[in-house]
Amino acid sequence: MLALEDSRVAVIGMGYVGLPLATEFGKRMPTVGFDIDARRIEELKSGIDTTREVSPQELTEAAHIRYTNHAGDLEGCNVYIVAVPTPVDRYKRPDLSLLESASRTVGKVLKGGDVVVFESTVYPGATEDVCVPILEAVSGLVLNEDFFAGYSPERINPGDRAHRLTSIRKVTSGSTPEAAEFVDALYGSIITAGTHKASSIRVAEAAKVIENIQRDVNIALVNELAIIFNRLGIDTLEVLEAAGTKWNFLPFRPGLVGGHCIGVDPYYLMHKVQETGYHPEVILAGRRVNDGMGVYVARQVIKTMNRAGLLFCNAKVLVMGLAFKENCPDLRNTRVIDIIDELRSYHVDVDVYDPRVDPAVAEAEYGVMPIREPGQGAYDAIVVAVAHDEFREMGVKRLRGFGKDTCVLYDVKHVFPAGEVDGRL
């Protein structure tokens, strides 16, 4: 079994998950950061991280790392960590194409004694049933005879400056007891919060998906409560704050559920479990509620405009925020787009403002080009869809300055007090 002190690490995928990982390993041991995106590699070589997850100083501190988009540069490594996206397709089915491609890339350079660890979110069994056969077929090697595998699910929370890679306990696993020990020690060398060694790769895979399914279902419950309380004329946040005075009440809040994890992971488990003939009920119900919240918010905005005597047809609305969550530029699976699309179905003219996102990415992914700066007195309604700090700092007075005298302000994320807005989720 490979010795920890002899490890030469390659991290495959320099996104929100892979870059922080590569940076931490690069502070301690020889590390290669690999990505197929040449532009991304050039940015990192220049000390720039457009995801804003790693600071220029942290990039500099990773003195033992080198970045590349050439697969041949991986040949000198003996530990390969795969951290590529695992989205769903338009039919909500797992899309493992990037994971399969990364496995083929690693398979071409895999040698006897090497270890391959996967961090990408998958359904239980995917590592051993999908990835390992690719590694074996491409390399000609055999698992647990010539090379070893492990799984350690990512727990990155984009935009969260408090919960960082090293301060979040890491789940680890391996294809043999010895491999599990090595993977656990490998991550233990960088994770100050400690590790939890699972008994098998499948247990670790399952743990990852249910972490986010639990959040998804809890948020769905609160979203449904928000719909109910809106119908009853009761402020949802006041109810949640009152209930929260009980020690065991969980502090979930209503909102849009997007991103690369919570809105995606349930479909991975559902895909696998449906092969057994079981049809999940609670998980699917939660997904339906959360997937419908963007449309619900848009219709609430229309109703708020109607109550104010505003005509919504050809009205001009400003949507504040496009990222899937506050204080990050991540646009993956953002459900703000559902608000925009539904408003446009009412023949509303929608502008989108988000100072954190890359306009070119927004246009390429969603056909939305964010404006550079909102105009003064231009809008019939303003929707605060994402709780960026920039929006909080603007305050209600400045936000209302973007609107006409009769403009309504709708607050999706409870950024401002109820008495200062005209409607909120």
Side-chain angles (χ1 to χ4, degrees), residues 317-381:
V317 174
L318 174 64
V319 173
M320 303 284 288
L322 184 60
F324 90 86
K325 64 173 289 188
E326 65 275 8
N327 300 326
C328 79
D330 197 346
L331 286 168
R332 289 174 294 175
N333 194 35
T334 177
R335 301 308 351 133
V336 178
I337 194 65
D338 297 337
I339 298 176
I340 296 167
D341 289 344
E342 184 68 9
L343 287 173
R344 285 175 172 169
S345 75
Y346 285 88
H347 301 286
V348 170
D349 183 11
V350 180
D351 278 349
V352 179
Y353 174 63
D354 193 322
R356 290 187 176 251
V357 306
D358 184 334
V361 175
E363 185 174 38
E365 291 294 323
Y366 300 104
V368 172
M369 175 56 74
I371 60 175
R372 294 179 61 88
E373 190 73 29
Q376 294 294 307
Y379 300 99
D380 299 287

Side-chain angles (χ1 to χ4, degrees), residues 71-72 74-75 77 80 104-111 114 138:
L74 301 172
E75 291 182 356
C77 300
Y80 300 93
R104 285 190 289 271
T105 297
V106 172
K108 292 175 183 177
V109 296
L110 197 61
K111 307 174 298 300
D114 288 356
V138 175

Side-chain angles (χ1 to χ4, degrees), residues 115-183:
V115 179
V116 186
V117 184
F118 294 88
E119 288 222 0
S120 306
T121 300
V122 291
Y123 52 78
T127 297
E128 293 159 303
D129 297 343
V130 177
C131 301
V132 166
I134 293 174
L135 294 172
E136 291 181 324
V138 175
S139 69
L141 304 177
V142 178
L143 178 69
N144 297 334
E145 293 182 13
D146 303 310
F147 73 96
F148 303 89
Y151 183 78
S152 181
E154 60 88 4
R155 282 176 164 172
I156 295 294
N157 189 24
D160 188 338
R161 310 316 297 177
H163 301 95
R164 312 298 292 159
L165 170 66
T166 59
S167 63
I168 303 172
R169 196 173 181 191
K170 202 81 162 69
V171 174
T172 66
S173 63
S175 55
T176 68
E178 294 77 17
E181 285 290 342
F182 172 79
V183 173

Side-chain angles (χ1 to χ4, degrees), residues 123-322:
Y123 52 78
T127 297
E128 293 159 303
D129 297 343
V130 177
C131 301
V132 166
I134 293 174
L135 294 172
E136 291 181 324
V138 175
S139 69
L141 304 177
V142 178
L143 178 69
N144 297 334
E145 293 182 13
D146 303 310
F147 73 96
F148 303 89
Y151 183 78
S152 181
E154 60 88 4
R155 282 176 164 172
I156 295 294
N157 189 24
D160 188 338
R161 310 316 297 177
H163 301 95
R164 312 298 292 159
L165 170 66
T166 59
S167 63
I168 303 172
R169 196 173 181 191
K170 202 81 162 69
V171 174
T172 66
S173 63
S175 55
T176 68
E178 294 77 17
E181 285 290 342
F182 172 79
V183 173
D184 195 65
L186 179 71
Y187 282 100
S189 70
I190 65 168
I191 306 297
T192 57
T195 61
H196 174 90
K197 187 172 61 175
S199 64
S200 69
I201 287 175
R202 290 182 181 233
V203 167
E205 291 168 326
K208 169 58 180 177
V209 289
I210 71 164
E211 287 174 15
N212 290 315
I213 288 173
Q214 184 183 69
R215 285 187 57 78
D216 193 39
V217 171
N218 276 305
I219 295 170
L221 171 62
V222 177
N223 275 337
E224 188 165 61
L225 291 174
I227 294 171
I228 292 169
F229 293 141
N230 281 341
R231 286 176 172 267
L232 297 177
I234 303 172
D235 186 83
T236 302
L237 186 58
E238 284 191 39
V239 174
L240 294 175
E241 288 175 343
T245 60
K246 188 179 180 185
W247 76 92
N248 60 352
F249 186 84
L250 301 177
F252 286 92
R253 295 290 184 265
L256 306 175
V257 180
H260 69 298
C261 281
I262 300 179
V264 172
D265 293 1
Y267 294 114
Y268 273 74
L269 185 60
M270 285 189 287
H271 168 80
K272 187 64 178 178
V273 76
Q274 284 173 347
E275 292 180 356
T276 71
Y278 181 75
H279 186 73
E281 299 288 347
V282 175
I283 297 172
L284 277 173
R287 281 283 74 230
R288 284 195 295 270
V289 171
N290 286 340
D291 277 347
M293 289 309 293
V295 170
Y296 175 78
V297 166
R299 292 175 180 175
Q300 289 300 110
V301 172
I302 295 296
K303 289 180 180 180
T304 303
M305 294 175 68
N306 274 340
R307 285 195 294 269
L310 300 174
L311 298 176
F312 58 81
C313 189
N314 297 320
K316 197 168 180 65
V317 174
L318 174 64
V319 173
M320 303 284 288
L322 184 60

Side-chain angles (χ1 to χ4, degrees), residues 23-31 62 64 166 189-192:
T23 302
E24 288 302 322
F25 280 120
K27 294 176 182 178
R28 295 164 176 81
M29 60 188 72
T31 303
H64 304 290
T166 59
S189 70
I190 65 168
I191 306 297
T192 57

